[in-house]
Amino acid sequence: MSTYYKTTDMKNIDKTKPVLVTGATGYVAGWLVKKLLDEGMTVHAAVRNPNKKNKIAHLEELAAQSKGTIKYFKSDLLDEGSYTEAMKDCEVVFHTASPFTSKYKDPQKDLIDPAVKGTQNVLETASATPSVKRVVVTSSCAAIYTDAVDCAKAPGGILTEEVWNTTSSLNYQPYSYSKTLAEKKAWDLADSQKQWDLITINPSLVMGPPLNPKSNTSESFSLLKQLADGTSKMGAPKLGMGVVDVRDVAEAHYQAAFTPDAKGRYITSAHNTNFFELGKVLLPKYGAKYPLPKKPLPKWLVMIVGPMLNKALTKKFIRNNMDIEWKADNSKIQNELGITFRPLKETMEDSLQVLIDQKII
Ligand code: NAP
């Protein structure tokens, strides 16, 4: 864990070679696939079931409208060797697949195993595929912190790429634990070889318009719906968090792959904000018509009703996140990869508009 930043020279990537995107059906991956296709590249889309038309229809549409080409491969994180064919001839691997859900029964089986064993499966395949030069893993700010209260405890009172999550566990915020263990596994595997280098993109909560709103599984989508479907009409808690637009996250992945001297982890977070604020920025345009939160909920009330409404809203979680400032330093990705971030209002308005247009709310 001491040599997380590789210093080997990066060879230039040949953009005429195919690139692999694992979990290509996902919310974040959708915008990355769009970017790659728009650049005229050949995308090897690794998906669990290429025959599920509702999962890939949006990718088909994107490919038809772009200069690029898409090919599908059947792969599962828990099926060893199932990425071999998809990775053939690729110089770049984008590993985005990992479960992001609060609807799990067994955290080990449903979150940790696919995240960690899946990362091992994909990265070991990279080492066995001589064409691979660079691997970009979608990690998370969840691999850096668990609760907003961790920000103040970080050196300088702010999260940076140097900080690792030490407070999540199988029993507390297991999704964060899965991302922490998976990213550590990725760096360990990167350090054990010299063929490819590793970059991690560490987004905070991703918001922004989904490309496949009808079959979206991401927790981002559930949180977005909760703001506008009436769940939050009495108000929303000021849970400290970072937020970033899905389109900026896709651009970050692209730049991480094709910027020769990109290195290490990249915090990919645009706004230090809170959950109530996400609804508040929507009020001027949508407040009259939709049941958006108009005021922050008091902590004492969330302490009483929270645990009854949502199993993730435990007393410990509320204590460690509510009315607590979230702070992360996003300067590295701006300076090294040239990423600029969209304003929060644009992100949230574009997100809600998709739900309205698709008659989801
Ligand atoms: P998502 O839409 O649910 O995408 C998850 C993807 O992982 C889907 O394509 C899913 O495939 C795939 N997957 C899950 N289990 C799999 C398995 N056993 N084998 C193969 N593929 C599997 O969620 P997302 O928000 O886009 O998340 C994508 C990545 O971003 C994840 O690594 C997540 O941790 C990371 N991330 C997300 C956020 C956020 O706020 N959304 C923030 C930080 C990091 P199916 O379509 O077949 O289910």
Side-chain angles (χ1 to χ4, degrees), residues 154-291:
I158 187 161
L159 303 176
T160 67
E161 284 83 359
E162 303 301 320
V163 180
W164 278 87
N165 183 326
T166 56
T167 48
S168 60
S169 68
L170 197 55
N171 300 317
Y172 183 66
Q173 301 299 319
Y175 166 71
S176 302
Y177 193 49
S178 78
K179 296 303 286 181
T180 308
L181 296 180
E183 195 192 319
K184 285 187 175 167
K185 174 63 76 182
W187 285 113
D188 286 344
L189 290 167
D191 283 346
S192 69
Q193 53 77 55
K194 290 200 162 51
Q195 178 198 321
W196 45 268
D197 67 0
L198 175 67
I199 316 291
T200 66
I201 294 297
N202 297 64
S204 54
L205 179 68
V206 182
M207 285 279 149
L211 287 168
N212 55 346
K214 291 268 161 72
S215 63
N216 210 307
T217 55
S218 175
E219 192 60 19
S220 287
F221 195 64
S222 317
L223 292 169
L224 173 63
K225 270 202 296 191
Q226 275 174 40
L227 281 173
D229 67 0
T231 312
S232 305
K233 64 174 188 264
M234 304 304 285
K238 279 187 158 181
L239 296 165
M241 59 175 63
V243 169
V244 61
D245 192 292
V246 67
R247 295 160 290 190
D248 298 337
V249 175
E251 182 66 24
H253 281 76
Y254 182 85
Q255 294 302 337
F258 299 110
T259 304
D261 50 4
K263 60 180 179 306
R265 313 171 90 190
Y266 286 99
I267 286 180
T268 309
S269 182
H271 310 286
N272 298 340
T273 182
N274 64 69
F275 189 61
F276 168 68
E277 204 65 34
L278 304 188
K280 193 176 157 201
V281 295
L282 290 166
L283 287 173
K285 189 165 175 192
Y286 298 99
K289 221 168 153 201
Y290 294 94

Side-chain angles (χ1 to χ4, degrees), residues 319-357:
R319 224 178 12 253
N320 286 353
N321 291 280
M322 202 168 156
D323 301 333
I324 294 177
E325 199 184 352
W326 192 90
K327 267 170 97 178
D329 178 353
N330 61 5
S331 57
K332 182 173 181 255
I333 196 161
Q334 297 186 68
N335 296 337
E336 295 182 10
L337 301 187
I339 298 296
T340 55
F341 294 108
R342 282 171 172 75
L344 186 61
K345 196 173 159 65
E346 180 185 332
T347 298
M348 296 309 297
E349 287 187 353
D350 290 356
S351 309
L352 185 60
Q353 196 56 49
V354 170
L355 300 200
I356 295 167
D357 293 345

